[in-house]
Amino acid sequence: GIGAALNKLYAIGGRQELDALVTNEEYDPASDTWAEKAAMITGRLSLGLGVVDSKAYVSGGWDGAQEISTHEVYDPVTNTWETRADMLSPRAGHSVAVVDGKIYAIGGAREHVATPINEVYDPVADTWTQLAPMPSGRQYCATAVVDGKIYIIGGRSSLIDYSSAVNVYDPQTDSWSSAADMPTPRST
């Protein structure tokens, strides 16, 4: 995953050949340099990453053997990781969006099957809450926030079934609507 905090970028986790990585690398655009930072506690790829109050929250992913629900937070000021409350449902390839200081983890895959699960994490309370599920299970979707609404775009429901669907989640009403499909089906 990649996130921005304190005017720097953080490339966290991922995959190298068959290994789930614990790496955390900081890119400083001002000096055009990379620096190795404290490693994650749990190696993972296909993780979710959201930044709140300049801290990077990493959820779920694939540890090389299975989907996981573990959740950690990185503080770039202290260069330390801390374990936080696990997601309610282990999964990988989920979309993450931040709205009003809360982290939404949507979709992904459990046991290699796309899921419509939608959960929100409150960093202050360190709790996850189950929300209205997506209309259909998808993984590896593109995600964006516009006017406080979360757009889940494309993705796939299986290894070969790519989607052009655009679903819109409204955190204020805990409800989903559909927008016009994009012209070309794709996943991230």
Side-chain angles (χ1 to χ4, degrees):
I2 191 150
L6 304 174
N7 298 316
K8 295 181 179 164
L9 298 176
Y10 293 86
I12 301 173
R15 176 182 183 167
Q16 195 172 63
E17 296 185 19
L18 300 177
D19 296 325
L21 300 176
V22 295
T23 57
N24 175 17
E25 298 166 333
E26 175 190 81
Y27 175 71
D28 184 345
S31 63
D32 192 28
T33 57
W34 285 92
E36 196 170 310
K37 294 298 184 177
M40 258 191 311
I41 299 165
T42 306
R44 61 184 89 199
L45 57 125
S46 300
L47 54 92
L49 190 152
V51 176
V52 175
D53 295 330
S54 299
K55 294 180 181 176
Y57 291 81
V58 176
S59 60
W62 177 263
D63 68 2
Q66 62 189 356
E67 291 96 357
I68 58 176
S69 60
T70 57
H71 180 221
E72 304 169 27
V73 60
Y74 174 70
D75 184 340
V77 173
T78 61
N79 191 33
T80 57
W81 287 91
E82 179 183 341
T83 301
R84 303 295 290 198
D86 285 354
M87 290 194 307
L88 301 175
S89 300
R91 59 192 186 228
H94 52 294
S95 294
V96 169
V98 176
V99 177
D100 295 329
K102 295 194 170 128
I103 301 167
Y104 294 80
I106 303 170
R110 290 183 66 179
E111 299 178 10
H112 307 290
V113 176
T115 178
I117 293 170
N118 180 11
E119 301 175 67
V120 64
Y121 176 72
D122 181 339
V124 175
D126 189 29
T127 57
W128 288 91
T129 303
Q130 187 106 14
L131 301 170
M134 271 195 302
S136 63
R138 294 202 316 273
Q139 58 186 315
Y140 299 106
C141 302
T143 309
V145 176
V146 177
D147 293 329
K149 294 181 180 173
I150 302 168
Y151 287 72
I152 304 293
I153 302 166
R156 59 184 205 229
S157 57
S158 70
L159 287 176
I160 58 170
D161 186 19
Y162 293 88
S163 176
S164 59
V166 178
N167 295 114
V168 183
Y169 178 73
D170 185 342
Q172 295 296 316
T173 61
D174 187 28
S175 63
W176 288 91
S177 60
S178 294
D181 286 357
M182 65 179 161
T184 304
R186 69 190 83 176
S187 73
T188 58

